[in-house]
Amino acid sequence: MRRSHQTLLLPVKPWFVWFSLLLGLLVNLLPWRNNGWMLQPDFVAVLLLYWNLYEPDRVSIGWGFAFGLLMDIADTSLFGQHALAYVIMLYLNILLSRRMRLFGFWNQAIHVLPLLLLGSLVMSGIRLLADGRLPSLTYFTAPAVGALMWPLMVHLLQLPQRRARESEL
Amino acid sequence: MFANSYYPLRWTVDKETQPAFFGRRQSPLSKLLWFGATSLILLFTDSRFRYLETIRDNVSVALYPLQQAAMLPGKWMGSTQEFLTEQATLKQENQQLRLDRLRVTARLQEADELAAENTALRKMLTLSLSYPERGQVSEMLYAGRDPFTRKIIIDKGKSNNLTEGSPVLDAAGLVGQVTRVHQLMAEVTLITDKGFPVPVEITRTHQRTVVYGTGQDGWLEVRYLALNSDIKPGDTLATSGIDGTYPAGLIVARVERVERAGGQPFARIWCKPIGGVDRSRHYLVLGKPAELPEYPASALPAEKPKKSVKAKKHAP
C-alpha cells in the first residue's frame, strides 16, 4: 500500500480547504432519508479531522468550534453541542497527529474511528444531561461509516496536490 | 514573512520545538480549554434560557442558500422521474384525480353550506369564530439530522407571518407543530418526537385523552387510560381542540395495539400517525386559532392568600 508519508505533496490551496469544508456542510444538509438508521457520517467532522491532520497550521481547533456552531444551527440542536464535540475531537487528533501521519490510510482510519465515536458519545452525553434524551444504538453506526470512508476520502482530497507533482517530475 | 515561508520546513521543523519567535500560536491545550469552556457556556445558556435566538436567526439566513443548494439534487431527481413516467400511469392518475375532485366538490359544497350556517348560528350566539385563518402550503427543506429529536425544517418563516405554535398538517392528518421560526424557514416538531403531547379524542366514543410521541419513527402512545376504557385497535384519534393550539377535528392517529396487562394500572395503547409524518414533502401550516377566553379565576387551584388580601377580608 502506498504510504502517505512517502508521497510528496504540493502545498494545498486555501480555497480548496474552504471549498471542501463547505461541500461537507452541504452534504450534511442533504435531505437524507433515515429509515431508522443513521448511516450517513458527519462529513464536516471527518473533513475537519483530515485538514487538521495534514494542515495543522491552517485548520486548528478554532475551525472546529466555528463549524460546530454552524452545524448546531443547521441541525437545530443545542448551541455548542457540535462545537464542543468537534473541539475535543480535534484536540485529540492533534495529540495523535504525529503518529497518524506516518501511517497508511487504513491505519489512520483505525485512529479516526475512536475519535468519531468519542464525538458521538460527547453529543449524546450533552443531550442526556440537557433534556434526558438518548438516541438509538444505530446512532453509533455513523462513526463507523465515517472511518470506513476515510481512505477513499483522503485519496480524493490529495488528488489535486499529487497530480501536479507527478506531472512535474 | 516567516508565516509564508514555512511550507518547505513543515515536515522537518517540529512545531512544538520551534523557537518561540517563529509563531505566536497558542498551545492546543489552551485552545481546547478556551473553546471548550465557550461551548459549555453556550450550551448552558441555550438549554436554560433562550438568549441566543437572534444569533441563530441571523446565521440561519446565511445558511439558507446552502440549504437551498442541498435541495437541488433531490429536485432534479424528482423532475427527471416526472419526465420519465409513462403516459399510462399519468392517464390513470388523471382519471383517479378527476373522480376524487368530483367527490371533493360534493363535500365542499356541503361544507360551504355548513360553514355559512355555522357562522350565522355563532353570530346569533355572539360567539367568536373559532376557525383558524387560511393555511399556507410549505415545502420541507430537510429533516433535522439531529437523531435525538424528530424535527423537520420547512421553507416558510417570519417573512411569511408564521408564528410559533401553529399546527402543521399534510393531506392525511396532523403532522406536528411549528416550534421555532427563523426569518426564511421554520422548525416543525413532529408528533412522533419523544414526549410530544397532542390532546385528542377517540372519534368513536368522544373520550378525551392525550397522545404522546415515543421518539421512534411511526409510533405514538396513549398513556393514562384505565384498563377498562373503551378503546380498541382501529379507532381513530382526532384533536379535541380543548387546548387552544390545534383546532378540533384534525385526524391524528389510528390505534394499532392495545395491551391490557393485569399488573398495571393503565392500558398500553400504541398508535400509528395517519398523516405522513416522515413521508410527505408538502405541508399545510395553519394560522393560530382564535384566542380562548381566560380561564375562570374561581376554577384555578386556591393560592395561598396574601397578607394584604387577608387583612382586607377581615377589615369590614
Side-chain angles (χ1 to χ4, degrees), chain B:
Chain B
M1 184 193 160
F2 283 119
N4 290 331
S5 63
Y6 61 60
Y7 280 120
L9 295 173
R10 228 174 56 227
W11 305 112
T12 51
V13 179
D14 195 340
K15 261 182 295 340
E16 268 108 272
T17 55
Q18 259 175 36
F21 56 82
F22 267 99
R24 296 153 298 278
R25 235 170 275 118
Q26 283 174 293
S27 80
L29 185 65
S30 74
K31 271 189 188 171
L32 168 76
L33 295 179
W34 249 110
F35 288 118
T38 318
S39 25
L40 278 178
I41 292 168
L42 283 175
L43 270 172
F44 184 75
T45 41
D46 195 33
S47 62
R48 288 282 168 271
F49 330 97
R50 280 191 158 194
Y51 283 154
L52 305 165
E53 292 304 288
T54 44
I55 305 175
R56 212 181 257 276
D57 226 39
N58 292 330
V59 182
S60 77
V61 173
L63 276 176
Y64 190 71
L66 214 58
Q67 276 154 350
Q68 285 294 331
M71 287 294 292
L72 283 179
K75 272 187 187 157
W76 288 333
M77 236 158 81
S79 54
T80 38
Q81 230 166 35
E82 247 165 59
F83 187 73
L84 294 174
T85 33
E86 283 175 50
Q87 203 202 352
T89 336
L90 283 178
K91 221 173 161 185
Q92 201 182 348
E93 201 179 294
N94 205 346
Q95 189 80 24
Q96 185 63 43
L97 284 175
R98 226 176 270 251
L99 280 176
D100 280 351
R101 201 184 62 181
L102 265 180
R103 222 169 289 146
V104 170
T105 324
R107 291 285 308 270
L108 205 65
Q109 276 169 357
E110 214 173 301
D112 276 348
E113 214 178 286
L114 284 175
E117 198 180 313
N118 197 11
T119 342
L121 285 172
R122 273 178 184 278
K123 259 186 200 153
M124 267 196 270
L125 291 168
T126 61
L127 287 176
S128 62
L129 291 176
S130 68
Y131 280 91
E133 7 169 334
R134 190 159 291 204
Q136 299 187 53
V137 177
S138 68
E139 197 182 359
M140 180 179 106
L141 278 180
Y142 62 101
R145 240 182 57 92
D146 192 12
F148 304 91
T149 52
R150 296 278 170 276
K151 281 177 184 168
I152 56 169
I153 311 293
I154 55 172
D155 66 347
K156 293 271 157 64
K158 258 182 213 153
S159 49
N160 305 85
N161 296 323
L162 238 62
T163 44
E164 278 178 23
S166 316
V168 179
L169 2 159
D170 76 344
L174 185 74
V175 165
Q177 186 186 358
V178 176
T179 44
R180 190 180 264 154
V181 187
H182 296 310
Q183 202 59 44
L184 298 169
M185 51 199 175
E187 179 192 301
V188 175
T189 304
L190 301 174
I191 50 174
T192 45
D193 192 53
K194 194 180 173 192
F196 187 86
V198 182
V200 291
E201 61 178 28
I202 303 163
T203 47
R204 185 170 54 86
T205 59
H206 296 290
Q207 156 106 55
R208 281 193 300 273
T209 178
V210 182
V211 67
Y212 291 88
T214 56
Q216 289 168 288
D217 275 335
W219 284 108
L220 303 171
E221 191 186 13
V222 176
R223 298 182 202 158
Y224 318 124
L225 262 192
L227 282 180
N228 60 357
S229 52
D230 183 11
I231 186 167
K232 60 186 182 192
D235 281 351
T236 30
L237 305 176
T239 49
S240 58
I242 53 165
D243 55 338
T245 301
Y246 306 103
L250 303 176
I251 307 278
V252 180
R254 184 179 298 113
V255 178
E256 282 290 310
R257 214 165 66 221
V258 182
E259 287 169 19
R260 295 187 161 96
Q264 281 164 347
F266 302 114
R268 299 206 70 180
I269 300 155
W270 297 91
C271 317
K272 270 189 180 291
I274 290 176
V277 171
D278 38 15
R279 290 186 306 272
S280 303
R281 286 203 76 84
H282 294 274
Y283 297 98
L284 185 72
V285 185
L286 295 184
K288 277 203 109 163
E291 290 280 313
L292 289 180
E294 283 283 307
Y295 202 68
S298 58
L300 285 169
E303 275 179 61
K304 255 193 175 174
K306 282 174 194 164
K307 263 186 187 167
S308 58
V309 179
K310 229 180 200 173
K312 249 185 207 170
K313 265 186 189 167
H314 287 293

Side-chain angles (χ1 to χ4, degrees), chain A residues 65-157:
Chain A
F65 184 73
F67 272 87
L69 286 185
L70 279 181
M71 274 305 295
D72 286 332
I73 291 162
D75 248 15
T76 69
S77 47
L78 280 177
F79 239 123
Q81 176 190 318
H82 282 85
L84 184 63
Y86 288 177
V87 164
I88 293 173
M89 276 158 69
L90 286 184
Y91 173 69
L92 292 175
N93 194 44
I94 289 173
L95 292 192
L96 287 174
S97 62
R98 255 194 277 172
R99 183 155 58 135
M100 273 168 81
R101 272 187 224 120
L102 299 177
F103 286 147
F105 296 159
W106 281 104
N107 279 329
Q108 284 179 353
I110 293 170
H111 283 72
V112 165
L113 177 63
L115 290 181
L116 290 174
L117 265 177
L118 183 77
S120 303
L121 272 176
V122 167
M123 284 198 248
S124 41
I126 289 170
R127 293 312 286 261
L128 184 64
L129 286 177
D131 43 27
R133 290 168 197 265
L134 269 180
S136 60
L137 275 179
T138 53
Y139 178 51
F140 296 100
T141 51
V145 178
L148 278 177
M149 182 185 83
W150 177 269
L152 178 70
M153 206 198 61
V154 177
H155 188 81
L156 287 178
L157 284 172

